[in-house]
Amino acid sequence: MIEGLQEWTAGLPAVLQWLGVIAVSAIPFVESYFGSVIGVVAGLNPVVAIVAAVVGNVISMVLVVLFGDRIRRLRGVEAPEDMSPRKQRLHRIFDRFGVPGVSLLGQTVLPSQITSGALVAFGANTRGVIVWQVVSIILWGVLFGVLATLGVDLLATA
């Protein structure tokens, strides 16, 4: 899938490739980290690739957080005992590490959209979730973009 997205982005006219990176970075599991790699591999300036990847990922994450906040206001916070085992595990991690920890480390397991939506559902402050997710998205995007610029083949593992 990542290779197909990279080929699609590279096939766009050069002036539109950054828009392609924004679009693919909004996809869960592609995010800012693979989005920045796709942009670098497609031939974009690394700074442009990273910024576009971060923007795409942030837009989709914020939409999920705002939608999740609206649902939480309508339905209330779900009790931990009513959650699936997977949600219970994420809730224990949230209780242990808080919004900053889950935001910074959560992308190693789940997309930012899922992690941020879960945090809001658990009752975390919406603004805090957005701030920490943006910090995480920037850090992961920059890390992977720099590694791709240095020639590390990150798409082979995807």
Side-chain angles (χ1 to χ4, degrees):
M1 176 177 110
I2 298 292
E3 289 177 9
L5 293 171
Q6 189 272 323
E7 290 172 13
W8 176 78
T9 303
L12 292 172
V15 73
L16 297 178
Q17 287 180 342
W18 63 275
L19 284 173
V21 173
I22 289 173
V24 300
S25 299
I27 301 170
F29 294 104
V30 175
E31 312 263 336
S32 66
Y33 41 93
F34 285 133
S36 62
V37 173
I38 288 169
V40 168
V41 171
L44 283 173
N45 175 299
V47 173
V48 172
I50 292 167
V51 169
V54 166
V55 167
N57 196 175
V58 166
I59 289 170
S60 65
M61 178 274 302
V62 168
L63 290 173
V64 169
V65 168
L66 295 177
F67 182 70
D69 181 56
R70 176 155 310 236
I71 290 173
R72 178 182 67 186
R73 289 174 192 222
L74 293 172
R75 297 175 69 195
V77 178
E78 187 177 10
E81 58 272 3
D82 295 335
M83 296 179 193
S84 69
R86 182 179 237 177
K87 284 184 182 177
Q88 288 177 358
R89 180 173 181 257
L90 188 58
H91 197 277
R92 283 192 303 274
I93 293 170
F94 168 62
D95 287 341
R96 184 171 181 189
F97 297 106
V99 172
V102 173
S103 295
L104 294 170
L105 300 174
Q107 289 196 36
T108 61
V109 181
L110 292 170
S112 61
Q113 296 91 340
I114 294 171
T115 304
S116 61
L119 289 170
V120 170
F122 296 153
N125 177 279
T126 302
R127 183 176 293 157
V129 170
I130 290 173
V131 167
W132 280 105
Q133 285 292 331
V134 168
V135 168
S136 178
I137 288 167
I138 291 169
L139 290 174
W140 286 102
V142 168
L143 174 66
F144 274 59
V146 167
L147 290 173
T149 302
L150 295 174
V152 176
D153 186 5
L154 299 165
L155 294 177
T157 61

